[in-house]
Amino acid sequence: MHAPITAHKGATVNERSNKRLIVFDCDNFLTKGWEEGEKFIERYPSELAAATGIPEQVVQEQLKHAADQVRANSNAYGMRDLSGRTVAPTFMDAYVYMRVLAGLTLDACERRYGSEREREEMLHAVHKKCYDPKPIFREGAKELVQKWRAHPDVGLHIVTGSDTKPVEGKMQILLGHEVEPGFVVGNAGKHLLTMRSDTWSAEEQAAFEPMWEQTRVSFPFPGAGYDAYPQRGFYYRVLMDLQSRYNTDRRAYVAGDSLHCDGLLPMELEMTYIHLATEFTPEWEKDFVRESGCGLVAPNLAGVDWFLDALVEM
């Protein structure tokens, strides 16, 4: 499913702020994604059974078997696009985890669909039915957002791959008041690859061409067993639109918890990426970010704040 292409003209020199762009992710970065996902995981078997017609007991058994498979060799699995390319690791968050288990369950039960796209749309519908929008924020999330929103030299935005409205709602809960339009930018399609080899309209070709010229198609992750795919064009369009509103001579900073979805593209574009390490972050991922030359690894949100203080003062 493609994210929408919108006209992108950028700001004029007179309209552009002299501030530096900073981007935060939301889910599993500002929030405790796995704690939020407990109800999602609990609801998933019954909703998957209802959507597929597979008896719920069978679904439960197959999901458990799939979980054992994944734990035994996590690098062999992951969230894949329609061409079979790994776009996010299994343990990125509870939602990707259940999506991977669901795919293995459908394979084991030999549930076939007319196309991979039809199967993805069914799983997306199951996801929406199970999703609980009530946030559980990480320690320091409110202070971090308040501080950098108020910084006179910074333009802060929350960029999410999911819908804008639920994340705006989370920010209102976090901050205790409504947020202005444009503070949260959603539907960034962070998991969607837009590689030159795919078929795009002339409008899409023109939109993605600068990214294709600036980034690698893929490269191997040392220690991971699969390749990295940084060309995520819808995310690129969002980042470039935001960057055009601020001083493009000042390096942008991006902070998130998913190397694949939040960090690969900004690092390719030579933005500084601050990676929040969680209990599921593998050592090879931390090493990759540290050795990249444009990435930092923080153990918590206080660490993210510390890095931003140091970077902004440079």
Side-chain angles (χ1 to χ4, degrees):
M1 186 179 296
H2 292 177
I5 286 286
T6 55
H8 170 67
K9 297 179 181 178
T12 67
V13 174
N14 290 335
E15 294 171 335
R16 188 178 299 147
S17 167
N18 192 45
K19 294 181 178 181
R20 182 194 303 275
L21 172 65
I22 292 181
V23 169
F24 289 165
D25 181 44
C26 177
D27 294 331
N28 213 41
F29 175 72
L30 295 174
T31 69
K32 297 179 180 180
W34 281 91
E35 286 188 34
E36 289 180 349
E38 288 178 359
K39 288 184 179 179
F40 178 89
I41 292 172
E42 183 181 323
R43 295 169 183 166
Y44 205 95
S46 62
E47 292 296 345
L48 185 61
T52 61
I54 304 171
E56 186 172 345
Q57 182 178 350
V58 175
V59 170
Q60 292 271 17
E61 291 170 354
Q62 290 299 332
L63 286 173
K64 184 179 184 303
H65 179 66
D68 292 339
Q69 284 182 258
V70 168
R71 290 192 190 96
N73 187 9
S74 60
N75 279 355
Y77 303 94
M79 181 178 176
R80 294 186 170 91
D81 69 1
L82 299 180
S83 297
R85 297 167 296 211
T86 300
V87 297
T90 300
F91 291 99
M92 186 181 91
D93 58 35
Y95 310 105
V96 171
Y97 174 68
M98 290 309 296
R99 168 63 189 83
V100 172
L101 299 192
L104 293 171
T105 295
L106 294 178
D107 291 343
C109 294
E110 298 186 340
R111 278 298 191 273
R112 309 299 181 199
Y113 290 82
S115 68
E116 284 295 313
R117 189 173 299 280
E118 286 181 28
R119 185 163 104 156
E120 288 300 313
E121 289 174 353
M122 181 277 294
L123 290 172
H124 182 65
V126 171
H127 177 111
K128 290 183 71 174
K129 286 187 176 181
C130 298
Y131 184 73
D132 184 354
K134 184 179 179 181
I136 302 173
F137 292 106
R138 292 187 185 276
E139 182 179 355
K142 181 175 182 178
E143 292 78 10
L144 182 72
V145 173
Q146 285 181 325
K147 173 180 174 177
W148 292 101
R149 280 191 85 205
H151 196 291
D153 204 31
V154 160
L156 174 67
H157 293 270
I158 308 297
V159 173
T160 174
S162 59
D163 293 343
T164 304
K165 286 187 177 180
V167 177
E168 285 181 336
K170 291 181 181 183
M171 290 302 99
Q172 290 174 15
I173 293 170
L174 179 68
L175 300 173
H177 57 77
E178 291 189 4
V179 295
E180 70 276 11
F183 172 60
V184 175
V185 181
N187 300 304
K190 294 182 182 181
H191 66 292
L192 295 173
L193 305 186
T194 48
M195 300 163 68
R196 199 193 295 268
S197 58
D198 294 335
T199 301
W200 302 106
S201 68
E203 183 184 10
E204 288 168 329
Q205 291 274 357
F208 301 142
E209 188 63 37
M211 179 197 67
W212 289 330
E213 292 177 354
Q214 295 175 67
T215 60
R216 292 174 284 181
V217 172
S218 65
F219 55 89
F221 273 130
Y226 50 83
D227 287 347
Y229 296 95
Q231 294 184 345
R232 301 167 190 238
F234 301 110
Y235 185 28
Y236 172 82
R237 293 283 293 166
V238 167
L239 291 175
M240 292 301 99
D241 179 66
L242 289 175
Q243 180 69 89
S244 74
R245 305 177 197 177
Y246 299 98
N247 188 336
T248 54
D249 292 329
R250 307 179 74 182
R251 191 165 184 163
Y253 304 142
V254 178
D257 66 285
S258 169
L259 173 59
H260 294 251
C261 293
D262 299 322
L264 281 180
L265 177 62
M267 291 165 72
E268 284 284 288
L269 298 173
E270 298 185 345
M271 298 176 173
T272 296
Y273 173 61
I274 304 174
H275 186 59
L276 175 68
T278 72
E279 63 270 35
F280 295 104
T281 305
E283 287 303 316
W284 66 259
E285 205 168 279
K286 298 175 189 176
D287 291 341
F288 176 84
V289 173
R290 291 189 184 108
E291 294 167 9
S292 68
C294 52
L296 301 160
V297 178
N300 47 40
L301 292 184
V304 173
D305 184 50
W306 188 89
F307 279 131
L308 286 173
D309 274 331
L311 289 166
V312 169
E313 291 301 317
M314 292 174 63

